[in-house]
Amino acid sequence: MMNKIFNLTFALAAALMSSPVAVSAYTSDFDRGYDQGQKAAQNIWNHKDGGNCANISDLEYQVKDYIQTHFWWHSGDSAFTKSFDKGGQAGMKNVLQQYQTQCHNDHHDNDNVNVDTGMCSGLGKDAASEIAEKYAEDHCPNYSRPVTSIFQKKYKEECFEIGLDDCKGAINDEVYLYCGRYIDDYSVLKGLKFKCGYKVSGYIDDSLH
């Protein structure tokens, strides 16, 4: 009889130990959420952004959207759900910050070789135009300014879109340079990016005068 009880007890213990519910790598719902959050962010970075640092600003928005649709707890949710969702948010933000830091460092490792040839060429042409205009004022009887209003309007529109995107994409990297850390508060970051519009527009206006 004792042997039967012992064998039954042993069988039950073995079954429980082999159960995925009984044996878990997670110590809490937060840890389980954290792990899933990390995997989700890594999957977005690998498959949507191609692991390319040129898309690091996209990852920031993608993580935010994923958190709002998958890891956003509400006041009426259970403590288990809240803990899991908080872990998921933390896991995704951790991966985001790792790649922000990595891309920031990679960018500055190449600072000595990155030259914007288009910008440099534009500066050369601007200088040539200014020299030519001054010469024409002094030596050309029929001197007149070129009709540039249509060109300037088109230039301003196209340049604004490019400059605006670049400004928004660079804000957090520039904050890192001054603060030594990235901003993880989306509303604060959104407010800073909003300022790009009039700042870029002002720079373009100055460049046309």
Side-chain angles (χ1 to χ4, degrees), residues 74-93:
H74 303 281
S75 57
D77 289 340
S78 68
F80 303 107
T81 298
K82 291 179 181 178
S83 180
F84 175 84
D85 287 345
K86 287 180 180 179
Q89 292 181 23
M92 294 200 79
K93 289 178 180 178

